[in-house]
Amino acid sequence: AGPVLAAGAGDSDAEREARWGEIKQSVFKDRAVEKTDTLVSIDAPARALDAALVPITLTMPQKDRVKGVYLFIDDNPSPYAAHFEFGPAADPSEVKLRVRVNNYTDVHAVAKMKDGTFQEATEYVKASGGCSAPMGMSDEEAMQGMGDMRMKFGETQPGKPVQATLMIRHPNFSGMQMNQVTRDYTPARYIQKITVSYGDKSVFTMDGDISISANPVINFGYLPDGAGPMKVTATDNQGGHWEKSFPVRSASN
């Protein structure tokens, strides 16, 4: 692929579209990616209050047709932010997460459908400096408790999906943040993969990159069937590996 075009606050629609075209080609090759108003949507602030903690909601109304979803932040140093692949225990109707946004940019979600097609939605977000924003503490403090996990579960009702919130302590260093003491750049260290299973069934697998915010928080849905505990495995790009299981309450009649 050729050089990716730079985008920013002054870019025209044509320039942003050209940049997205190069990103699509690098990931999906010659497979068609179609625009949609119904199969996937993005809820994001038009102007972010904190560019290092931008909330993103991906909604897939026709969840039974969805196999996975990609998130791209076009003008980030690494536009590929995350890819969720849903398993049989997932309720893929909605996923929430927090990301870094480095510049005024288009954000794209691409839903991978079970019929093999790819459907895209776009939102424009105004933010700046999210990938290089300092942590506000030393690197050592930021890494304390790295890999600790917590899980919160929403209301459980028979036959209905349950919402859960996964929280993982990890600095997700982007490689662009300067250590305020040494004045050197902190090496990139970020969570690359998260797998969540419920009993013997997969809920989702997420592949991530430097655009995921520090201390990731992911909201997702799953289908309760009394199959057993919720198990989470996380690995990062420097070989870190963490696992934890969470008891799941049974639905009350």
Side-chain angles (χ1 to χ4, degrees), residues 85-103:
E85 194 79 8
F86 300 113
D91 173 56
S93 57
E94 185 178 88
V95 175
K96 296 181 180 180
L97 68 164
R98 303 183 304 187
V99 300
R100 298 180 171 114
V101 176
N102 209 52
N103 204 346

Side-chain angles (χ1 to χ4, degrees), residues 148-222:
D148 288 350
M149 302 183 197
R150 290 187 293 157
M151 183 88 78
K152 292 182 179 179
F153 297 97
E155 183 179 356
T156 303
Q157 297 182 10
K160 294 186 178 181
V162 177
Q163 294 299 306
T165 303
L166 170 64
M167 295 156 279
I168 304 178
R169 184 164 179 82
H170 196 289
N172 264 21
F173 292 130
S174 67
M176 299 174 60
Q177 295 145 318
M178 181 178 287
N179 185 303
Q180 299 302 302
V181 176
T182 67
R183 310 304 292 175
D184 294 326
Y185 287 99
T186 301
R189 183 164 191 177
Y190 56 89
I191 291 179
Q192 275 188 316
K193 193 177 191 96
I194 297 171
T195 62
V196 179
S197 59
Y198 180 36
D200 60 355
K201 295 181 180 179
S202 170
V203 180
F204 70 83
T205 299
M206 188 205 83
D207 295 313
D209 211 288
I210 65 170
S211 294
I212 304 298
S213 296
N215 301 319
V217 177
I218 301 171
N219 296 80
F220 63 95
Y222 71 96

Side-chain angles (χ1 to χ4, degrees), residues 9 24 71 82 129 149 160 186 215-216 233 236 244 247:
K24 280 194 296 185
L71 177 65
M149 302 183 197
K160 294 186 178 181
T186 301
N215 301 319
T233 301
D236 71 17
K244 188 169 183 178

